[in-house]
Amino acid sequence: MARIAVIGAGMGAMAAAARLAVAGHRVTVYERTETYGGALRRFERDGFAFDTGPGLLPLPAVYRDLFVKTGKEPLEDRVELVQVDPSARHVFADGTEVSLPNVSRAGVVAALEEALGAGAGQRWGDFLVRAREAWDRARRPLLEEPLWPNWQVLAERDPYPAVPHKRLLRTRRAGTLAEVGAWELRDPRLAALLESHTLAYGLDPRTAPASAAVLPYLDHAFGTWYVRGGLRELARAVYERCRARRVEFVFGAEVTGIVDKDGRAAGVELADGTPAEAEFVVAGVPPRTLDGLVRGAAPRGGGEVPPQPGAPSRLTVLLALRGARPEGTAHRTLVHTEDRAAELDALFGAAAGLPERPTVAVSRPDDPALVPDPEHEAVTLTATVPASVPADPRTQADRMIAVASRAIPGLRDRLLWHEVRTPADIARETGAEGGAVPAPALAAAQGRLLHPANTTGLPGLFTVGGWSHPGGGLPHAGMSGALVAGLIVEGPEFRGSQ
């Protein structure tokens, strides 16, 4: 039985802690804030409650596996999972609207054919078939195994089977997601639908590899799920599972250093100078934070994966509305920008700024736990913004409310109050510089979208969570926890679950 110190109580860190405790290790989690969950936080006021981080759970099998492996108990015994149907309603720039059913290729094809015209649904359906092939090729090496020492193989090969396209007397294949949309989908609304999945993760579709097709495929194949009471309930369930497995949590405990003894991690040092000895250290912190904790040693390993480009953040506006949620309202509506090129230039151009007309995700859960009574509604607006505190977040919040009004008639008349959550709030809660939000790992693109390995240059030190392999997103955080636990329990030869 080894003593293991875990830095941070994010979802990946807690997933690793629970698995390590079940394997017989003594695990202590040191969290600098006063609560668990990382980005999965909740804001409450006047009887209203809101998720301030992710609002939906893709690929719930990751957390189902965690609960079975750490207690032979279904996840559904701890939280109530609700499949969101339709998976999303889309409001496009030209006013066209379409609601896409959950986990139904035939239903999605039919809905797009009816809303966008003959051939649109079939082109999207054919794209999903190709996206599935990319998923089948990339799933294991990117998500279910520790990062390969020869990770360059993943960097050079794009698993997406792009369709040959004749352009200026040359036959070319799409190399970016934007080219997939332009050459294979051939409809600006379908392109907007496709690119919205990368934009949600802070990726520029003009530079994201074609392999990013796996992101919409994930939603399509495995469904979109809501946790009754909000996703903060999922964090609570994982925390309680850790406690049931005798994981110790120390809150308000900032780790200021990782102890290096004879060239190996041997514990952590807290801000008050208290040392905590451990045979292994698991760090669920952003890269720059980790660099500051390791003194005189290179913390990162895994073949020196190229650093990711600067990750954008999110601006969230929480709306308290008078009046009941109308029956039949979609849980999630995506209101697409009226000028996609201008939005991408603002977010990813040389002088990054705030888009004047952003794409806005509107979340309207049918959940009595979030409102003071049935005559009120809690709505959350989310938009991608640069990873820095906007000079005047109220201006961007007003823009987002104006965009959301296209999806919620009479919105301003129903508004009681609103709260704005900025990248500074994300930075305070997660420790990520500028409130940056990590993207999932993707193949190709010369390795720009791979993340450093869970092993490091200091033996005994491992990294977990969105800033290490396999990257950001709730499912990926849970997968990283499983990988780190496997590497510690089974050793460096661990190759993932079969």
Side-chain angles (χ1 to χ4, degrees), residues 81-154:
L81 285 179
V82 181
Q83 194 170 34
V84 176
D85 201 7
S87 63
R89 169 188 171 218
H90 291 266
V91 179
F92 295 107
D94 65 355
T96 306
E97 297 187 18
V98 62
S99 292
L100 301 181
N102 210 341
V103 198
S104 171
R105 179 179 179 276
V108 167
V109 167
L112 290 172
E113 287 282 316
E114 181 177 353
L116 306 189
Q122 188 59 52
R123 289 195 297 277
W124 183 261
D126 292 343
F127 158 75
L128 288 177
V129 172
R130 295 189 292 275
R132 175 180 178 176
E133 187 172 339
W135 168 255
D136 289 341
R137 292 175 178 176
R139 176 176 181 170
R140 185 156 184 82
L142 269 178
L143 303 179
E144 298 176 350
E145 296 180 350
L147 188 67
W148 293 349
N150 61 332
W151 58 266
Q152 290 88 349
V153 174
L154 299 175

Side-chain angles (χ1 to χ4, degrees), residues 153-440:
V153 174
L154 299 175
E156 296 165 0
R157 299 177 183 174
D158 195 316
Y160 180 77
V163 176
H165 171 76
K166 287 189 176 181
R167 183 178 177 86
L168 300 177
L169 302 179
R170 296 173 56 196
T171 298
R172 299 182 60 187
R173 294 177 183 268
T176 67
L177 199 72
E179 290 174 341
V180 171
W183 300 351
E184 298 179 11
L185 298 179
R186 303 191 307 278
D187 185 309
R189 296 163 298 184
L190 289 179
L193 171 59
L194 173 66
E195 294 177 5
S196 65
H197 289 81
T198 53
L199 186 63
Y201 283 106
L203 297 174
D204 185 347
R206 300 170 302 185
T207 59
S211 65
V214 300
L215 299 178
Y217 177 76
L218 273 172
D219 286 353
H220 163 76
F222 303 105
T224 305
W225 300 77
Y226 174 69
V227 178
R228 187 70 67 186
L231 255 69
R232 177 66 178 175
E233 289 298 295
L234 177 65
R236 175 195 56 77
V238 175
Y239 169 71
E240 291 179 352
R241 172 50 51 87
C242 287
R243 292 299 305 272
R245 297 300 167 261
R246 300 186 179 180
V247 174
E248 181 183 358
F249 284 80
V250 184
F251 294 107
E254 183 178 3
V255 172
T256 55
I258 294 171
V259 177
D260 179 351
K261 184 176 182 181
D262 299 326
R264 180 181 174 83
V268 299
E269 184 177 293
L270 304 181
D272 62 3
T274 303
E277 295 182 354
E279 281 75 47
F280 297 95
V281 176
V282 177
V285 297
R288 184 162 295 187
T289 301
L290 181 63
D291 291 343
L293 297 179
V294 182
R295 304 179 183 118
R300 288 282 167 171
E304 298 184 0
V305 173
Q308 281 212 344
S313 186
R314 299 188 183 108
L315 191 72
T316 304
V317 184
L318 315 175
L319 307 178
L321 303 185
R322 61 171 63 87
R325 177 183 186 271
E327 186 175 353
T329 295
H331 183 116
R332 181 173 183 268
T333 297
L334 200 67
V335 185
H336 294 269
T337 180
E338 296 173 355
D339 191 339
R340 194 151 41 95
E343 178 179 39
L344 296 179
D345 285 341
L347 290 173
F348 305 108
L354 295 172
E356 291 189 9
R357 288 172 285 181
T359 295
V360 175
V362 182
S363 178
R364 306 178 70 181
D366 183 10
D367 190 344
L370 305 184
V371 291
D373 56 59
E375 296 306 312
H376 291 86
E377 184 180 6
V379 175
T380 302
L381 312 181
T382 307
T384 298
V385 297
S388 59
V389 180
D392 184 3
R394 293 172 298 178
T395 298
Q396 191 68 357
D398 286 342
R399 292 171 177 171
M400 291 168 62
I401 291 172
V403 170
S405 297
R406 294 170 53 198
I408 309 177
L411 170 58
R412 291 193 183 275
D413 293 335
R414 296 179 58 197
L415 186 60
L416 290 170
W417 50 261
H418 72 275
E419 292 277 348
V420 182
R421 306 285 294 179
T422 70
D425 296 308
I426 297 175
R428 183 175 60 254
E429 294 170 355
T430 68
E433 185 177 6
V437 178

Side-chain angles (χ1 to χ4, degrees), residues 3-7 26-28 30 267-268 276-278 280-283:
R3 292 169 298 179
I4 300 176
V6 178
I7 306 172
R26 280 173 44 196
V27 184
T28 303
Y30 299 94
V268 299
E277 295 182 354
F280 297 95
V281 176
V282 177

Side-chain angles (χ1 to χ4, degrees), residues 4-21 27 29 31 36-40 54 57 62-63 66 70 234-235 238-239 242 247 249 281-285 430 438 454 462-486 488:
I4 300 176
V6 178
I7 306 172
M11 296 300 286
M14 290 198 295
R19 290 176 182 271
L20 289 166
V27 184
V29 177
E31 167 57 46
Y36 53 83
L40 290 186
L57 176 64
V62 172
Y63 289 91
L66 172 65
T70 60
L234 177 65
V238 175
Y239 169 71
C242 287
V247 174
F249 284 80
V281 176
V282 177
V285 297
T430 68
N454 307 105
F462 298 82
T463 64
V464 73
W467 295 105
S468 57
H469 180 73
L474 272 176
H476 299 72
M479 293 173 191
S480 76
L483 292 175
V484 168
I488 292 176

